[in-house]
Amino acid sequence: MAARVKVTITEMKPKIKIRLAIESVSLVLMLVLILSGCKTNVKNYTSSYEYRVDSLLKLMTLEEKVGQLTLYTSDYDVTGPTIREGYKDDIKAGKVGAIFNAFGADYTRKLQEMAVKETRLHIPLLFGYDVIHGHKTIFPVPLGEAASWDMNAIYKSARIAGDEASAQGLHWTFAPMCDIARDPRWGRMVEGAGEDTYLGSRIAVQRVKGFQGDGVGSLNSVMACVKHFAAYGAAQAGRDYSTVDMSDRVLREVYFPPYKAAIDAGAATVMTSFNELDGVPASGNKYLMTDVLRNEWGFGGFVVTDYTSIMEMIPHGIAEDTASAAALAIEAGVDMDMQAGFYQDALPGLVKKGIIKEDLIDASVRRILRKKFELGLFEDPYRYSNVEREKATIMKPEFLDAARDIAKRSIVLLKNDKQLLPLSKTQKKIAVIGPLANARQEMIGSWSAAGDWSKAVTLLEGIKSKVTSADHVLYAKGCNINDDSTKYLAEAIRVAKQADVVVLAVGEAALMTGEAASRASLDLPGIQQKLVEEIQKAGKPVVVVLMNGRPLTIEWIDKNVPSVLETWFLGTQTGYAIADVLFGDYNPSGKLPVTFPRSVGQIPIFYNMKNTGRPMDPNSKYTSKYLDESNEPLYPFGYGLSYTIFSYGDVVLSKNSISDTDELSVTCKVTNTGIYDGEEVVQLYIRDLVGSVTRPVKELKGFEKIMLKKGESRDVVFKLTTKDLSFYKKDMTFGAEPGKFQIMVGGNSKDLKIAEFVLR
Ligand code: BGC
């Protein structure tokens, strides 16, 4: 930040002092009216905000306006409830409009008092924070939660997060992340809903609705922030912050819809992304922030940068200094500068020099002030900073119950030979082995910012809580998560040999996914692969429990180990949730929201690829394939087993030919033919066989999670309209084209029953 020169009131000329005195009387009167809400009988509150926003704007100096566009950190995670002196001065001078990384009813109240009592215009601060998968009660990492395909559960976890966060004085979460991610090397895949546009869009809606509850301003909710706009997930080579380059068609068809769905669901704010797109970094990208977001999609909230991404336009090579970066951003339509301080340093000067029009600044200030009004902060700036509510809300028992419920729904059973699972609770001896078996610190995963890992339940504790005698549970660490030491190995083998069954928890450390956590290898880190092989050799039945924030390349495990559970990072209640599944108190129902490759060389691998002109043919060399690897993933998108068996009947269509105004009913009978009650995610895919541009081999267009008792059958009915068949045609208009379509229904993206129809 640039050094600031302070002018005190005593240094001013007498005439100015008199003018100021007169102004301050009318200022006080005006402010009383604006801040108190001019309690008129205005029924249309939106227009009443508009009036108040305008009135307030008229009182603001240019510097105060730019202050509203400035967001600084309080570094709570590092320093506790303190804030840098420079930022305190900025708050008091009205040069900061929002603070992130500050939470707690007491602490936010203190900061708010600084803004409300010590600034000229008494404008309250906005408090933002990364509430990504729970605030204090931590839920599964977003990718894991997506594996539940359970819209109620996903809504509920965001709802609880909103309740807890707002009880700690927060107004705003930097979530949901709506970036489609098709490269598991990219560590931030963990923060989103995986590879699919349709599933990602459905989940984005639930997360926004959950965070925002009854709407911006309802006391137990926070504003959502759709991020990272746009296409951050397509970073080249899976390297974080890397370049993104794609056609407008792919952008609009694959990457945009989840952001758009979140905005249509009412998301109050949007965050830019770090990456460039078509040569222009998102924070300076007018096409994204103005043409698409505001003009096409009608987004009316405000846009914040991702961290210092305005500053990063200098190394990107698109701005040569602070002023040009700030100008690029404000002209692109970016309202708030997170942490760079570039707006603060450069915008007043740019306006004074006539380079930037003050109207542009005013438009951004309006968007931000509107949200502060909607949040009710002008009526009561402390309404979210309530110690009593905080005490009554944080981690209350019903939240913990919900966290356990959602966690167990997120678990995916990848393999279960000879029904090794579920385990019996009266098992003689269970060996719980592995670097993640008792690793409390890892359980809440990455981006669990305010989460308290010391309150998390480990797998070992979860298992002990289930069995008839805890003495029957043996434990050995086996190895560390990510180093070469073999010192714990022999003990683990000894323990395995004493047991009747081994539960082996392996995977990644929590911080191996998340921001700046790209990996070039997706193998188990450290010597964990060796640990698995040695334990397997001990000759006891082994259940591998994976904990990780992305797909891992586990072909050896799939070939050799009888049972495998994908458990991601499940949050505060991890151990209980996994134990619920291991012992059959809950029949696993999760399905992968992302394809698991066999090897890194297959990446990018996702289910809705194009067919190519030479689709893979094992008998023909000159077809699209590898010399040294199969084209098939290890586990396809949508895959996940149950302790019971679901069988699918034929796909029955209401018509074989439809017009563009018809609705098509697709019915499939699903039967639980196994011996347990269970839930199944019934998935519907389409394929447009011939188009004016080529179409993917499969596209998810519907799903329903159903509960079937053993022996029970249900007709699952999907309704399709031409909207579901639409895409960006050759001329980039959006619509459906006449011709033949396939409809596919099944329990994953590979094993599907097919029917065909024609769109006339
Ligand atoms: C991340 C964002 C996050 C922000 C604030 C950035 O580094 O990319 O996702 O919201 O920090 O913590």
Side-chain angles (χ1 to χ4, degrees), residues 41-181:
N41 285 332
V42 187
K43 289 229 173 68
N44 181 343
Y45 291 104
T46 318
S47 62
S48 94
Y49 292 145
E50 274 323 289
Y51 171 74
R52 294 164 71 190
V53 166
D54 273 343
S55 313
L56 186 51
L57 200 65
K58 283 193 190 115
L59 302 176
M60 295 170 81
T61 63
L62 179 58
E63 282 70 18
E64 284 164 340
K65 289 178 185 174
V66 174
Q68 290 305 305
L69 314 187
T70 300
L71 167 64
Y72 284 139
T73 181
S74 113
D75 297 318
Y76 189 110
D77 302 340
V78 185
T79 57
T82 58
I83 189 161
R84 299 175 210 176
E85 284 305 313
Y87 291 169
K88 268 192 203 163
D89 295 342
D90 282 342
I91 294 175
K92 293 177 193 166
K95 289 185 169 181
V96 181
I99 293 288
F100 69 119
N101 295 335
F103 59 90
D106 248 346
Y107 180 44
T108 50
R109 173 177 279 267
K110 276 195 194 111
L111 292 174
Q112 194 66 295
E113 276 174 358
M114 217 181 271
V116 171
K117 294 188 177 159
E118 301 193 41
T119 60
R120 193 178 75 96
L121 293 177
H122 316 292
I123 303 176
L125 291 167
L126 201 61
F127 294 111
Y129 195 53
D130 289 285
V131 180
I132 307 295
H133 52 112
H135 180 60
K136 283 290 181 186
T137 305
I138 300 297
F139 295 91
V141 289
L143 183 68
E145 197 183 69
S148 72
W149 295 55
D150 186 324
M151 298 303 113
N152 295 332
I154 291 171
Y155 169 82
K156 197 163 181 187
S157 90
R159 188 74 291 284
I160 292 171
D163 201 353
E164 284 191 339
S166 59
Q168 289 220 293
L170 292 165
H171 311 129
W172 183 26
T173 172
F174 303 139
M177 183 185 104
C178 301
D179 305 320
I180 292 297

Side-chain angles (χ1 to χ4, degrees), residues 112 124-126 171 372-373 375-381 384:
Q112 194 66 295
L125 291 167
L126 201 61
H171 311 129
K372 292 188 175 181
F373 275 106
L375 284 162
L377 296 179
F378 285 95
E379 267 71 23
D380 177 3
Y384 299 88

